[in-house]
Amino acid sequence: MNALGLSVPGCFVEQDAVGEALKLIQHAHRRKISIYFPNDFWCFNNSKQDLREIFPSGGILTGWTPIDLGPVSLKELSSLLSICKKILLIGSIKFDSVKEDTVGASELALMLQKISMTDCDVTVVGNAACNAVAGTSCSITQYRMFKNASVVWEFLKGRILPGVAALDIAYPHDLDWNIAFPDPSKPLIVDIGSGNGLFLLKMARRWQNYNFLGLEINKKLVRRCLNNVLQSNIKNGYFISTNATSTFRSIVSSYPGYLILVTIQCPNPDFNREEHRWRMVQRMLIEAIVDLLITNGKVFLQSDIEAVARRMKEQFIMYGKGRLVVDGDKNMGWREENPFGIRSDWEQHVIDRGAPMYRIMLRKVR
């Protein structure tokens, strides 16, 4: 605002940054990207801090300091955010010059809460912003929250971060699918946590017109599975040793054909460590699956532990944001039979001892 010649109190201006701000504005203008400024502010009187007035953004009088967005700015902000598909909120959402609560923070938190229920992805960055949103929202699980703003700034600047670099080293993004499959244009079915691979190998033998990919973190199991592929002369089956939670998107997004089905069967919950209990099915993985599935593609989830199956279902519905529905709604969504007619080793073991399996099929509608 200062770079454009608008009146801004000197305590809010970094004089050394005005030139850079003007370059940013000019760059946005050339690319036809809009930059919006607040139209009004709540301000307090420097001499009498209990005195409040609303001023237009270009007409703040000397001796008055902004403390919060005004009603016109909040209304326009609500209108702008309502049509967004992604929102990145960085930093504090109210000024620190006074400690009294103001309405802007709570109004913005309510806006974000409402918008996050739609198809909009909301990311909140910075300790102050995260605390403000968490203090006024009952649905903070809908957001991505990063309290360390400096890390996000470095990422946005294009710097190589050690954690991201480690993921890139752990699995290369450029996979030669012609080595994995003779015909990589066939529809793809992915089994996450494929274990000993027997389920996927049986599926590959039965369904020759599809390609099957197993993602398993245990390297020894993957080597064994690849040996079985060679010995059985299976052409449409392949296995990769990787942490699917962090690499599913980078791996599957390069596949030439369509992703039509993802299966997650009997993830092993660690009941002794609550923070690890649901570590396989996390938001990052769910969003990648939903984004890459073809319309009417499906997700098959099953476990012999009802709490695990229910949690997986709830997580996929929540983070699917309206793009997933239960395929068939009998018996509260649980399927009595395996829809593929092929059981994994653990599933067969559970059934042999007379215990139930909790299965559900989800379908992507858009």
Side-chain angles (χ1 to χ4, degrees):
M1 294 172 66
N2 183 264
L4 290 176
L6 296 174
S7 175
V8 179
C11 61
F12 292 112
V13 178
E14 295 180 54
Q15 295 296 339
D16 294 341
V18 173
E20 292 298 320
L22 187 57
K23 290 179 182 178
L24 178 62
I25 294 169
Q26 293 170 344
H27 181 64
H29 180 72
R30 288 194 297 269
R31 296 186 59 186
K32 298 181 180 180
I33 298 173
S34 300
I35 297 178
Y36 297 92
F37 304 99
N39 286 312
D40 61 344
F41 292 100
W42 276 103
C43 301
F44 75 87
N45 188 282
N46 296 341
S47 301
K48 300 179 181 179
Q49 292 195 6
D50 59 341
L51 187 60
R52 306 283 195 269
E53 291 287 347
I54 298 174
F55 289 95
S57 57
I60 300 175
L61 299 180
T62 303
W64 291 81
T65 300
I67 57 172
D68 202 356
L69 295 177
V72 174
S73 296
L74 285 171
K75 184 177 180 180
E76 292 187 349
L77 183 60
S78 177
S79 178
L80 287 170
L81 296 183
S82 67
I83 60 174
C84 289
K85 294 298 182 183
K86 291 184 182 294
I87 295 173
L88 177 63
L89 173 64
I90 303 180
S92 178
I93 57 177
K94 66 177 181 179
F95 301 119
D96 295 327
S97 51
V98 291
K99 301 300 181 184
E100 289 85 353
D101 291 335
T102 49
V103 299
S106 58
E107 286 286 337
L108 181 55
L110 291 172
M111 289 181 205
L112 295 178
Q113 180 178 332
K114 181 179 179 180
I115 293 168
S116 67
M117 300 297 182
T118 64
D119 286 336
C120 183
D121 292 325
V122 179
T123 302
V124 182
V125 177
N127 190 61
C130 288
N131 290 340
V133 170
T136 54
S137 173
C138 61
S139 301
I140 60 173
T141 55
Q142 296 284 348
Y143 311 144
R144 294 185 181 91
M145 308 279 276
F146 297 96
K147 289 196 172 185
N148 192 335
S150 61
V151 172
V152 177
W153 278 122
E154 292 300 304
F155 179 76
L156 293 175
K157 290 176 185 176
R159 305 283 176 84
I160 297 177
L161 303 179
V164 177
L167 291 177
D168 291 342
I169 293 172
Y171 193 80
H173 292 268
D174 296 327
L175 179 67
D176 189 346
W177 291 102
N178 290 304
I179 294 177
F181 305 112
D183 183 3
S185 66
K186 291 181 178 179
L188 180 67
I189 295 173
V190 179
D191 186 33
I192 298 176
S194 51
N196 60 20
L198 296 183
F199 167 79
L200 204 68
L201 293 173
K202 292 176 183 177
M203 291 279 286
R205 291 190 188 97
R206 177 174 293 188
W207 311 102
Q208 297 288 328
N209 293 327
Y210 301 91
N211 286 331
F212 294 85
L213 176 66
L215 303 180
E216 169 58 47
I217 200 168
N218 189 313
K219 293 182 179 179
K220 291 183 178 179
L221 288 178
V222 169
R223 285 196 294 268
R224 189 183 306 166
C225 291
L226 290 174
N227 286 333
N228 288 337
V229 168
L230 291 174
Q231 294 173 6
S232 304
N233 197 30
I234 293 175
K235 303 297 185 182
N236 61 331
Y238 195 73
F239 295 85
I240 296 174
S241 175
T242 186
N243 182 345
T245 300
S246 57
T247 62
F248 183 92
R249 186 183 296 275
S250 63
I251 294 173
V252 179
S253 62
S254 65
Y255 184 73
Y258 293 117
L259 175 65
I260 64 167
L261 174 65
V262 175
T263 62
I264 302 178
Q265 305 184 63
C266 302
N268 187 20
D270 186 351
F271 287 105
N272 294 319
R273 301 183 65 184
E274 185 173 355
E275 69 274 18
H276 289 166
R277 190 172 297 175
W278 321 106
R279 57 186 172 184
M280 177 186 287
V281 182
Q282 296 186 23
R283 178 173 182 169
M284 178 191 299
L285 175 61
I286 294 170
E287 291 181 338
I289 291 173
V290 176
D291 287 345
L292 297 177
L293 267 178
I294 190 175
T295 301
N296 289 321
K298 296 181 179 181
V299 179
F300 177 66
L301 309 171
Q302 76 166 343
S303 174
D304 57 315
I305 303 172
E306 185 176 8
V308 174
R310 190 174 300 280
R311 175 73 174 191
M312 287 195 295
K313 172 187 174 182
E314 291 171 351
Q315 293 287 80
F316 268 90
I317 294 297
M318 177 188 298
Y319 297 128
K321 293 187 175 181
R323 292 185 288 173
L324 293 175
V325 297
V326 176
D327 193 41
D329 196 23
K330 297 180 179 179
N331 194 25
M332 298 298 293
W334 301 129
R335 287 176 170 255
E336 295 183 1
E337 299 294 336
N338 186 310
F340 309 114
I342 295 175
R343 296 170 177 169
S344 67
D345 283 5
W346 184 254
E347 180 182 3
Q348 188 63 56
H349 170 73
V350 171
I351 291 174
D352 288 344
R353 59 184 169 87
M357 289 294 297
Y358 301 92
R359 312 178 181 93
I360 190 167
M361 186 79 77
L362 304 174
R363 179 170 56 86
K364 181 178 176 180
V365 293
R366 57 187 175 89

